[in-house]
């Protein structure tokens, strides 16, 4: 893996010793509105030194964890299938070595590459999906591989009843109709999340967090801001339940840092990354 000179806060363990590997997938080649998520992983690393290693939310510290920041994948422009293959290959290697991972996007399509690798290893996989958007289109402008089709591809991979969507407040009418038949979709907020966590205990879970689930007043640095989102406090309450699940794969995506010149959105992404890392290693 390519080692970045700058790593995420305290994520400087050697790969061999690490329990968890952080890596970036800086790709936004199918972004349909405002591009820029390719700059998300590096912004999160750079700005992570503005927060503490200690979390008062869960009383844990990143310095007590063995996390390797493996740097960003060098992804080619204009070749989406190759990008997904490279992400899949990276994920397979980490899983083969018995480690957990957290991938930083990038646009939401990067999830598909990692998800394919995880689903191969865990055929009974469930997906928890936080997002403003359904992402259940069958194609976008004639392209089947798109950030707006990623959960449709997840459904093709996993089948009915395995995808649990929260915070959704935007999409085509047919996507919501599709969700009624094939996924567990919770509109507008995270109500029902605690019950879903209870139901999925003991089952392998992939958690994908599109940061635009947050209200744009909290997180405006994203390509498709969508009014009516959840608060940071609501998101944090949900994240603090993640340790109850067997999270076998995880990603955070859709920060476009340059749309928020204040840096607030990137600071939010850094804090969310810290908290999820600590939840993934809760028992270590």
């Amino acid at each position: 893996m390519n080692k970045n000179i700058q790593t995420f806060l305290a994520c400087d363990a050697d790969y061999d010793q690490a329990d968890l590997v952080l890596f970036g997938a800086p790709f936004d080649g199918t972004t349909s509105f405002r591009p820029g998520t390719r700059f998300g992983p590096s912004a999160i690393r750079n700005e992570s030194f503005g927060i503490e290693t200690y979390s008062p939310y869960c009383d844990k510290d990143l310095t007590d964890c063995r996390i390797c920041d493996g740097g960003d994948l060098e992804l080619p422009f204009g070749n989406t299938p190759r990008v997904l293959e490279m992400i899949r290959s990276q994920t397979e290697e980490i899983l083969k070595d018995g480690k957990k991972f957290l991938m930083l996007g990038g646009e939401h399509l990067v999830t598909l590459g990692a998800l394919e690798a995880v689903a191969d290893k865990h055929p009974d996989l469930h997906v928890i999906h936080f997002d403003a958007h359904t992402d259940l289109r069958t194609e976008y402008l004639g392209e089947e591989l798109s950030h707006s089709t990623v959960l449709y591809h997840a459904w093709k991979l996993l089948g009915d009843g395995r995808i649990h969507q929260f915070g959704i407040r935007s999409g085509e009418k047919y996507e919501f109709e599709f969700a009624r038949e094939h996924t567990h979709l919770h509109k507008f907020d995270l109500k029902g999340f605690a019950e879903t966590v209870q139901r999925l205990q003991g089952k392998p879970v992939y958690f994908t967090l599109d940061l635009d689930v947050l209200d744009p007043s909290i997180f405006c640095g994203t390509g498709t801001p969508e009014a009516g989102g959840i608060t940071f406090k609501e998101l944090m309450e949900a994240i603090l339940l993640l340790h109850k699940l067997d999270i076998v794969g995880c990603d955070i995506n859709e920060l476009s840092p340059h749309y928020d010149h204040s840096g607030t959105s990137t600071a939010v992404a850094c804090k969310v990354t810290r908290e999820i890392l600590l939840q993934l290693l809760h028992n270590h």
Side-chain angles (χ1 to χ4, degrees), residues 134 168 170-180 185 187:
T134 46
I168 312 296
S170 179
E172 294 283 319
K173 184 180 181 186
Y174 80 84
E175 294 178 81
F176 284 93
E177 290 168 349
F178 180 89
R180 276 198 287 275
L185 187 144
K187 287 194 284 194

Side-chain angles (χ1 to χ4, degrees), residues 4 23-46 71-80 83 87 104-110 147 221-223 252-259 266:
N4 276 25
F23 72 94
F27 175 74
D28 57 6
T30 79
T31 299
S32 54
F33 186 37
R34 304 190 304 182
T37 56
R38 73 183 71 169
F39 303 112
S42 60
I44 290 171
R45 285 194 186 89
N46 293 339
D72 285 350
L73 294 173
E74 292 187 40
L75 302 170
F77 293 96
N79 189 344
T80 303
V83 166
I87 294 168
L104 299 176
E107 61 162 76
H108 211 156
L109 183 62
V110 299
H147 69 110
T222 190
I252 302 170
N253 55 67
E254 295 288 356
L255 167 68
S256 276
H258 54 285
Y259 295 121
T266 302

Side-chain angles (χ1 to χ4, degrees), residues 7 27 76 138 140 154 216 226 235 238 248 251 284:
T7 60
F27 175 74
T138 53
Y140 187 75
E226 194 69 50
L235 178 59
V248 293
D251 65 63
H284 281 266

Side-chain angles (χ1 to χ4, degrees), residues 21-22 55 69 86 127 160 262 271:
V21 178
L22 182 78
S55 165
D69 187 339
M86 289 174 69
V127 171
D160 286 352
S262 74
K271 200 164 182 178

